[in-house]
Amino acid sequence: QVQLVESGGGLAQPGGSLRLSCAASGFTFSSYAMGWARQAPGKGLEWVSGIYSDGSDTVYADSVKGRFTISRDNAKNTVYLQMNSLKPEDTALYYCAKSKGTDYRLGGEQYDYWGQGTQVTVSS
């Protein structure tokens, strides 16, 4: 069965960095696009980034563009989210998600499996 397990969250200071990882299993990882989304307390789900199946193309929300970098290692079945210049408004529960195919656009309908999430808190 499909499993997505996020890790790497924690407490960071404003301006700091964190790297999230999402280990995938139960499907042919290299054949599917992947994405990251987040949900802040009391707010709706926000799509953060997506990456094509072979890593050749990526997309970012305007709120994180230039600060976050998505990448993947298909040999390790893992997708990453490098988060730099963190801001308090980046505080959220971060989820990775598997696309139904190669569609890596920001949005929900093309994603069919989700991890449990990893908490990121940005505070001084």
Side-chain angles (χ1 to χ4, degrees):
Q1 70 279 22
V2 173
Q3 284 194 318
L4 301 171
V5 180
E6 302 95 336
S7 62
L11 176 64
Q13 292 191 337
S17 299
L18 285 172
R19 189 175 83 152
L20 306 184
S21 299
C22 173
S25 61
F27 62 102
T28 306
F29 182 73
S30 60
S31 296
Y32 293 88
M34 299 291 293
W36 286 96
R38 67 186 181 184
Q39 187 163 23
K43 295 189 177 181
L45 190 69
E46 178 189 15
W47 281 92
V48 172
S49 185
I51 186 166
Y52 189 61
S53 53
D54 66 0
S56 61
D57 206 359
T58 58
V59 63
Y60 298 93
D62 288 343
S63 59
V64 306
K65 201 171 293 183
R67 300 188 298 121
F68 289 12
T69 303
I70 190 171
S71 62
R72 63 191 295 162
D73 185 337
N74 285 350
K76 295 183 177 180
N77 288 358
T78 301
V79 60
Y80 305 97
L81 187 68
Q82 177 68 44
M83 306 186 296
N84 298 330
S85 302
L86 284 164
K87 304 175 181 180
E89 51 264 43
D90 294 320
T91 295
L93 188 60
Y94 283 72
Y95 299 94
C96 75
K98 169 192 166 292
S99 176
K100 294 175 183 177
T102 56
D103 190 346
Y104 60 99
R105 290 174 295 168
L106 302 181
E109 292 185 354
Q110 60 269 36
Y111 293 90
D112 56 1
Y113 287 92
W114 299 75
Q116 293 298 306
T118 185
Q119 178 67 40
V120 170
T121 302
V122 183
S123 174
S124 55

